[in-house]
Amino acid sequence: MPAVSAYAPGKIILFGEHAVVYNRPAIAVPVFQVKARAEVTPSLKAVPGGIRIIAPQIDIDNDLTSLGDDHPLSITIEALRAHWGGVRLPAINLRITSTIPIAAGLGSSAAVTVAVIRAVSRFVKRELSEDEISQLAFKVEQHQHGNPSGIDNTVVTYQKPVVFQRGQPLKILTVPEPFTLIIGDTGVQSATSEAVAGVRTRWQEEPSRYEGLFDRIGEIGNHAREILLNGPVTELGPLMTKNHQLLKEIGVSSPELDRLVNAALSTGALGAKLSGGGCGGNMIALATADQAAAIEAALKHAGAVRTWMTTISETMRER
Ligand code: PMV
């Protein structure tokens, strides 16, 4: 059997992180500048079902069984086998590489899972629908993150801008007016599960205050969706900055994130906010084409260890 490979992009959350866990709407877009890739080749030596994992960036070159049942890759393979009624997979080598920073709010874990699911299912010629892939990846996310909303696996699987709300049908958006975002990485790793758990503790202590903050974030998300559909996209900027203030209030910003947000704003960004779990990780800034390079430089000057420029550009319509 020939080698088969698949990839999945990173993602950013434009609006609504954390509040989305509490059933408010959120908007996320794929980021194709960073990717996870999985490649499956047949293994001639191993016994059927034997899976060798090669992931040089995290120093793994070993049998899947050596990683233990709780490892996300073991959970991914087990979820696939269960989905196919417990089939035994052929002996394979599974090589995983990724340019998505880990624990940085760019959807690294969901992207690795989705790339692996796609590559293995193609290799065994049991292609899955987008919905099946997203659901399987969600199961793996649940194991890793406790109580994920499902937004990461969704945007990374569909590779389109999405409006996501728990319990509501997924809305895929196509963008009528392109816009440019600069992503700035604080370089501070932060586990999403811990940020989400911290918010939960504070929400339990002060439920009505937190429900009020989530409501305001949800309203911003609804307003942003209208702007994404009808323009002008420049109006997204102030909404991003407001969303950042609310994320600060729920306790998930950090000095490094605030410094990058302020640097972007004082260099003329139309708006800026943290993106993803927060407490570290990445922020995003909305830039006009002629400011983008200056904003990137300002972010680096303010301590960003990496930056990416990404343009969201399709015709945005719900379907
Ligand atoms: O840190 P990330 O990229 O995994 O983003 C998580 C987004 C949250 O809303 C904080 C959690 C979730 O499950 O939706």
Side-chain angles (χ1 to χ4, degrees):
M1 270 186 266
V4 170
S5 66
Y7 82 92
K11 71 99 217 324
I12 46 178
I13 298 184
L14 282 184
F15 294 97
E17 51 274 270
H18 287 289
V20 68
V21 175
Y22 299 82
N23 305 331
R24 273 55 166 201
I27 302 175
V29 296
V31 175
F32 294 99
Q33 281 77 3
V34 288
K35 279 177 188 159
R37 184 173 184 275
E39 184 190 63
V40 179
T41 51
S43 166
L44 304 175
K45 289 189 212 135
V47 289
I51 297 180
R52 178 166 158 235
I53 305 289
I54 306 134
Q57 285 151 316
I58 46 169
D59 262 340
I60 297 178
D61 184 349
N62 218 330
D63 276 0
L64 180 63
T65 48
S66 73
L67 302 180
D69 291 347
D70 272 348
H71 193 279
L73 289 170
S74 308
I75 293 161
T76 307
I77 297 295
E78 207 35 59
L80 271 173
R81 289 187 57 247
H83 185 76
W84 292 322
V87 290
R88 179 187 283 232
L89 297 173
I92 56 172
N93 300 315
L94 176 56
R95 185 180 176 82
I96 299 161
T97 51
S98 173
T99 56
I100 310 174
I102 295 169
L106 292 180
S108 148
S109 61
V112 168
T113 304
V114 167
V116 167
I117 291 171
R118 282 196 198 283
V120 173
S121 60
R122 272 180 207 159
F123 185 82
V124 299
K125 299 198 166 41
R126 290 173 182 260
E127 290 248 9
L128 301 165
S129 69
E130 305 289 54
D131 194 47
E132 286 171 310
I133 294 170
S134 186
Q135 287 308 320
L136 284 165
F138 182 56
K139 282 191 189 155
V140 181
E141 291 279 287
Q142 279 177 311
H143 256 273
Q144 275 176 284
H145 298 309
N147 182 27
S149 63
I151 192 168
D152 279 17
N153 50 284
T154 303
V155 65
V156 158
T157 300
Y158 285 88
Q159 305 188 7
K160 295 263 165 57
V162 297
V163 178
F164 179 91
Q165 190 166 7
R166 274 181 153 172
Q168 302 279 328
L170 175 67
K171 295 193 182 98
I172 293 179
L173 299 169
T174 44
V175 191
E177 202 187 331
F179 59 96
T180 298
L181 295 168
I182 313 293
I183 306 168
D185 187 353
T186 61
V188 178
Q189 290 200 345
S190 165
T192 301
S193 54
E194 282 169 29
V196 169
V199 173
R200 180 152 302 262
T201 305
R202 295 191 287 280
W203 170 72
Q204 280 163 346
E205 283 161 7
E206 289 184 280
S208 57
R209 182 163 104 82
Y210 272 72
E211 283 296 321
L213 291 166
F214 297 147
D215 279 343
R216 285 165 67 195
I217 294 175
E219 281 157 24
I220 289 176
N222 285 329
H223 188 175
R225 187 178 86 168
E226 292 308 312
I227 295 171
L228 284 165
L229 290 167
N230 303 310
V233 289
T234 49
E235 285 185 10
L236 292 175
L239 293 181
M240 286 168 63
T241 308
K242 255 193 225 163
N243 195 160
H244 182 73
Q245 287 308 326
L246 291 165
L247 286 163
K248 252 177 110 160
E249 283 189 54
I250 66 171
V252 292
S253 192
S254 71
E256 294 85 358
L257 282 164
D258 290 341
R259 194 174 318 126
L260 296 189
V261 165
N262 291 335
L265 293 174
S266 59
T267 316
L270 301 170
K273 65 182 275 294
L274 71 85
S275 180
C279 306
N282 279 271
M283 51 71 71
I284 53 175
L286 178 64
T288 56
D290 51 342
Q291 292 162 322
I295 293 170
E296 252 190 314
L299 290 178
K300 288 211 172 105
H301 187 69
V305 294
R306 273 168 294 212
T307 58
W308 296 268
M309 191 184 301
T310 184
T311 298
I312 315 300
S313 67
E314 285 152 69
T315 319
M316 196 169 255
R317 203 168 301 124
E318 288 179 17
R319 68 166 201 233

